[in-house]
Amino acid sequence: NYPLRGMKYYLFEGGIRVHGFVHGPMLPTEVQGSSYEGMMHISDWMPTILSAAGVTDLPEDIDGINHWDALTTVDAQSPRTEFLYNIDPYYSTMVQMDDGSINTMLTRVKPRAALRVGDWKLLLNEYCVSYFNPLEDLGRPEGCGQDSCATPGIDVNSTNFLFNLITDPYEETNVIDEYPDIAKKMMLKIDDYMQDMVEPHFRGTDAIAYSVWARSGFITPWVHTETPVEGESTLNASTIGRGQDYPDESEAGSFEDGADGGVESM
């Protein structure tokens, strides 16, 4: 996604920003072939398309915002002024076990989240991911060596970021220390979202599922809830961790859920 920063799985623009297009005779001639620079979330497509189709009685309790008037008007401003990228209350940390394997340990100590308000974008506890140019090897800041969309390694730092996406669309300069008041207001907004969010039913990566796939080469059910057939190995989901090349399910690492806790002081 170069020159945007980051990639799939991460909350930088390279991992979440996508292209979209609108085509058809309903578009006025003056906007055909133009670009719409307004802030738009994927949830906005539904009310926008319904409006284009002539539906006027849209529900009031939906997340999406109708952009049809803005899309069909030259140099129009977006009706959306902010959106929440994501809140993940579980923070994953890579831990090397005594046997040399790497496990993903999840805790609720600090949420991983991102929010945009106007020109500003705040990222909380995001991994320091750099840029990926297929044509040249770019120098990366210390701790920003993540080079795949897998779970970050134990040497990848995480921190808070604040960017002005209008003046810094590639998220090169973290200005959170220069604008602490803006960062604090946006943190409080994330706090408000967290109060109303539905608790995710997150399941960790089951190493047994990986071991079954590694042995069979197929994606199949791996949890036995009934008495196994004689001679058949018994697999269950009691051992959960980061999938590794375990020759035997008994060698899989364990999953430890962190103690319940709120957001760090903001």
Side-chain angles (χ1 to χ4, degrees), residues 36 38-52 58 62-68 71 78-83:
Y36 178 58
M39 186 192 308
M40 189 171 185
H41 189 267
I42 190 171
S43 64
D44 297 336
W45 279 115
M46 187 268 281
T48 299
I49 293 172
L50 289 177
S51 179
L58 296 175
I62 60 176
D63 295 323
I65 297 175
N66 177 15
H67 287 249
W68 186 243
L71 288 171
S78 170
R80 178 176 286 281
T81 58
E82 71 172 71
F83 63 71

Side-chain angles (χ1 to χ4, degrees), residues 105-180:
M105 314 303 284
L106 301 181
T107 66
R108 291 182 60 99
V109 174
K110 48 184 181 179
R112 183 166 161 248
L115 172 74
R116 180 171 177 183
V117 178
D119 299 344
W120 295 99
K121 178 181 177 182
L122 176 73
L123 299 91
L124 295 182
N125 304 308
E126 178 58 302
Y127 299 101
C128 191
V129 181
S130 190
Y131 302 84
F132 303 90
N133 187 338
L135 302 179
E136 62 178 302
D137 186 16
L138 300 175
R140 299 172 184 167
E142 183 179 354
C144 292
Q146 184 69 10
D147 56 5
S148 75
C149 60
T151 302
I154 57 178
D155 60 341
V156 178
N157 299 327
S158 66
T159 189
N160 299 334
F161 298 87
L162 180 67
F163 301 107
N164 184 312
L165 291 185
I166 302 303
T167 60
D168 183 19
Y170 305 134
E171 300 171 301
E172 297 177 294
T173 306
N174 184 8
V175 295
I176 195 165
D177 291 334
E178 286 82 353
Y179 298 93

